[in-house]
Amino acid sequence: MTISKQLKAAAAASVLAMGGLALATGAPALAHNHKEKPAKAQANIVQTASGTGVHETLVAAVQAADLADTLSSPGPFTVFAPTDDAFAALPAGTVDSLLLPENKHQLQDILKYHVVAGRVAASALSAAITRSGGSYSFETVAGETLTASFSSDNNIVITDGANRKSTVTMADVKTTNGVIHVTNGVFLPG
């Protein structure tokens, strides 16, 4: 069994142990409660990602990089969270190589490239793109820059340092310590 599969299995076991808490917090508000304030999310970023069913590789990588405690702390953080399919689209062997102990610092740098300090809602990011004339650059906690723009169908697209584009496929997943924007690609520095 590869390291990646072992880590995925461990991540899946932790999700089962949580008893679905993270999934329960992501339910939309019912229409008859539209005047009430939404309930606060009960799960942090790591717990929420663990419960989605599409972020097993990301959670395994966060654990292997020893960043789970940081991303479970009060933050707040904004995380651009690649799906398992996004990781699978990387060249063969990339994920397994990054999960090796000797590549821990490189893995940490890549994961930090997906994190922004503060809680950045999609509406704020969209407004910044518009104010900046269609393209807005911002710094990640890795000290690297990402650039946000709109696709032809008005989705938010993030361009990394290697000029690869990833689309935000789900925005504003609220957590107790920030927000998650799901992406269909992994960001890599140039």
Side-chain angles (χ1 to χ4, degrees):
M1 182 181 279
T2 66
I3 293 172
S4 176
K5 288 183 182 178
Q6 290 171 348
L7 289 171
K8 283 182 184 182
S14 70
V15 169
L16 292 174
M18 286 177 47
L21 169 68
L23 289 176
T25 63
L30 298 176
H32 68 275
N33 292 331
H34 69 279
K35 292 185 180 179
E36 296 177 19
K37 285 188 174 185
K40 289 219 176 218
Q42 299 300 311
N44 63 43
I45 288 168
V46 175
Q47 292 166 328
T48 301
S50 294
T52 67
V54 297
H55 290 106
E56 292 176 12
T57 306
L58 176 63
V59 172
V62 165
Q63 292 169 343
D66 289 331
L67 293 174
D69 286 344
T70 300
L71 291 175
S72 297
S73 72
F77 303 104
T78 298
V79 174
F80 293 90
T83 63
D84 293 336
D85 288 343
F87 279 102
L90 292 172
T94 301
V95 174
D96 288 335
S97 175
L98 286 171
L99 292 174
L100 294 172
E102 60 266 23
N103 295 328
K104 179 178 175 179
H105 292 295
Q106 182 182 8
L107 178 60
Q108 287 174 337
D109 289 344
I110 289 170
L111 293 173
K112 289 178 190 176
Y113 194 38
H114 291 76
V115 180
V116 177
R119 192 181 304 261
V120 182
S123 60
L125 190 53
S126 294
I129 294 167
T130 302
R131 274 193 316 271
S132 299
S135 178
Y136 175 70
S137 294
F138 55 97
E139 189 172 317
T140 68
V141 297
E144 300 283 342
T145 301
L146 292 170
T147 303
S149 59
F150 293 119
S151 66
S152 59
D153 54 357
N154 286 327
N155 288 316
I156 295 174
V157 175
I158 307 296
T159 304
D160 67 15
N163 208 32
R164 284 182 295 273
K165 297 181 184 312
S166 300
T167 301
V168 173
T169 59
M170 180 183 288
D172 296 332
V173 178
K174 294 179 179 149
T175 70
T176 57
N177 63 338
V179 63
I180 296 172
H181 302 303
V182 179
T183 64
N184 65 357
V186 177
F187 308 153
L188 298 173

